[in-house]
């Protein structure tokens, strides 16, 4: 490994903690960092903000990855080249099933790869799957929450707005997918390629099916979303410190 700066993150190999919480929103990364002790702001470059601190005597790094799989993949690969061994994405998604309401949580066991990016890295038939140990730890910690928690497949889609061509989102829902978001498949594929552990917990902000025709109709209740996101952050932090990493 060279000592060259990692693109995007603007960090050097070996500078990244073994345990990483990653989020799309830089401000959310800053908010999570405030739950840590001995916090340092390590870097801010474009949408990639990096903080380091201590949680329950374990070193944690919090890194934002921005919106969309392309830029997020840049961050995910950088994290893993830089030293991350376990990465948990804390994000939001739209629900794809009638019983998955705003305020629910989804622990994503795998992701359908509709992102438009991961096909450039691995064969189309290769699945994007969470690490079993990470998923089990997230499920264990989520049992302490009073929020409805679902586990299963989500869809990572490359487009926020609809275009001329139809999407297959309704078919994905009919098949059993639980939620729709924009980055997770990239994380799972990056983790697989670099032999790392990854998982995710997602806060549902509403029905994705209800806003397929008009993305602007998505208007989540801020209080419900904040409560759910706070719970997901706590679950992720409590989970990641209980996942083993190397002693090197």
């Amino acid at each position: 490994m060279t000592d060259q700066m990692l693109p995007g993150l603007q960090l050097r190999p070996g500078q990244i903690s073994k345990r990483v919480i990653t989020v799309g929103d830089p401000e959310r990364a800053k908010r999570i960092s405030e739950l840590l002790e001995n916090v340092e702001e390590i870097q801010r470059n474009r949408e990639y903000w990096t903080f380091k601190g201590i949680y329950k005597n374990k070193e944690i790094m919090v890194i934002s990855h921005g919106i969309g799989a392309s830029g997020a993949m840049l961050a995910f690969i950088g994290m893993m080249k830089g030293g991350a061994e376990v990465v948990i994405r804390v994000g939001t998604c739209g629900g794809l099933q009638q019983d998955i309401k705003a305020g629910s949580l989804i622990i994503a066991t795998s992701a359908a790869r509709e992102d438009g990016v991961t096909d450039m890295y691995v064969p189309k038939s290769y699945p994007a799957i969470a690490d079993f140990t990470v998923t089990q730890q997230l499920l264990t910690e989520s049992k302490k929450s009073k929020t409805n928690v679902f586990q299963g497949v989500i869809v990572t889609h490359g487009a926020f707005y609809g275009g001329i061509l139809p999407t297959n989102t309704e078919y994905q829902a009919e098949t059993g997918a639980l939620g729709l978001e924009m980055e997770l498949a990239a994380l799972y594929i990056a983790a697989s390629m670099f032999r790392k552990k990854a998982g995710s917990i997602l806060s549902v902000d509403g029905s994705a099916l209800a806003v397929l025709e008009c993305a602007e109709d998505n208007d989540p209740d801020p209080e419900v979303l904040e409560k759910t996101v706070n719970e997901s952050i706590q679950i992720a932090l409590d989970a990641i410190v209980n996942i083993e990493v190397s002693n090197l």
Side-chain angles (χ1 to χ4, degrees):
M1 178 75 71
T2 69
D3 195 38
Q4 293 179 337
M5 199 73 77
L6 294 163
L9 299 181
Q10 290 297 291
L11 300 170
R12 296 189 184 281
Q15 198 175 354
I16 296 176
S17 303
K18 295 175 183 178
R19 295 179 175 91
V20 175
I21 300 290
T22 189
V23 297
D25 182 1
E27 290 293 344
R28 186 173 293 160
K30 184 175 185 297
R31 182 169 135 204
I32 295 173
S33 76
E34 293 167 357
L35 300 174
L36 310 179
E37 298 177 344
N38 302 325
V39 179
E40 299 176 67
E41 182 178 309
I42 305 300
Q43 182 61 279
R44 287 195 191 198
N45 182 51
R46 300 170 70 106
E47 66 264 48
Y48 311 114
W49 294 11
T50 302
F51 303 88
K52 183 171 73 174
I54 302 296
Y55 185 78
K56 295 187 175 179
N57 298 317
K58 303 287 177 65
E59 184 178 281
I60 303 288
M61 196 161 266
V62 186
I63 303 176
S64 59
H65 58 67
I67 298 174
S70 182
M73 183 62 108
L74 176 67
F76 299 150
I77 290 176
M79 292 173 203
M80 293 166 193
K81 282 192 168 187
E85 296 183 12
V86 182
V87 181
I88 294 179
R89 167 163 146 71
V90 177
T92 58
C93 70
L96 289 176
Q97 302 297 324
Q98 287 189 351
D99 59 335
I100 300 181
K101 310 290 187 184
S104 302
L105 290 168
I106 297 175
I107 294 172
T109 57
S110 58
R113 298 196 292 118
E114 299 287 344
D115 53 90
V117 174
T118 55
D119 282 352
M120 300 178 186
Y121 289 87
V122 296
K124 289 180 183 294
S125 59
Y126 194 82
I129 300 176
D131 178 80
F132 178 78
T133 304
V134 178
T135 300
Q136 283 295 106
Q137 199 61 54
L138 286 167
L139 287 168
T140 296
E141 295 301 330
S142 72
K143 290 176 182 176
K144 302 171 186 177
S145 170
K146 295 180 181 178
T147 301
N148 289 329
V149 180
F150 298 84
Q151 61 172 311
V153 179
I154 61 93
V155 180
T156 298
H157 206 286
F160 184 81
Y161 284 103
I164 295 171
L165 299 176
T167 71
N168 67 2
T169 302
E170 290 173 309
Y171 293 124
Q172 297 277 12
E174 190 174 343
T175 305
L178 304 184
L180 181 72
E181 55 83 77
M182 299 185 70
E183 297 89 19
L184 188 57
L187 173 60
Y188 288 174
I189 291 298
S192 184
M193 290 193 302
F194 287 90
R195 310 298 193 267
K196 307 299 183 182
K197 299 175 182 178
S200 182
I201 184 164
L202 306 171
S203 300
V204 179
D205 61 13
S207 170
L209 295 174
V211 296
L212 284 181
E213 298 300 322
C214 183
E216 285 87 356
D217 288 342
N218 184 34
D219 186 24
D221 183 316
E223 290 185 9
V224 171
L225 186 59
E226 181 177 11
K227 177 179 179 295
T228 312
V229 168
N230 286 343
E231 289 213 37
S232 70
I233 291 168
Q234 195 63 59
I235 290 168
L237 285 170
D238 289 337
I240 203 167
V241 294
N242 286 307
I243 298 169
E244 292 298 319
V245 295
S246 70
N247 292 320
L248 299 177

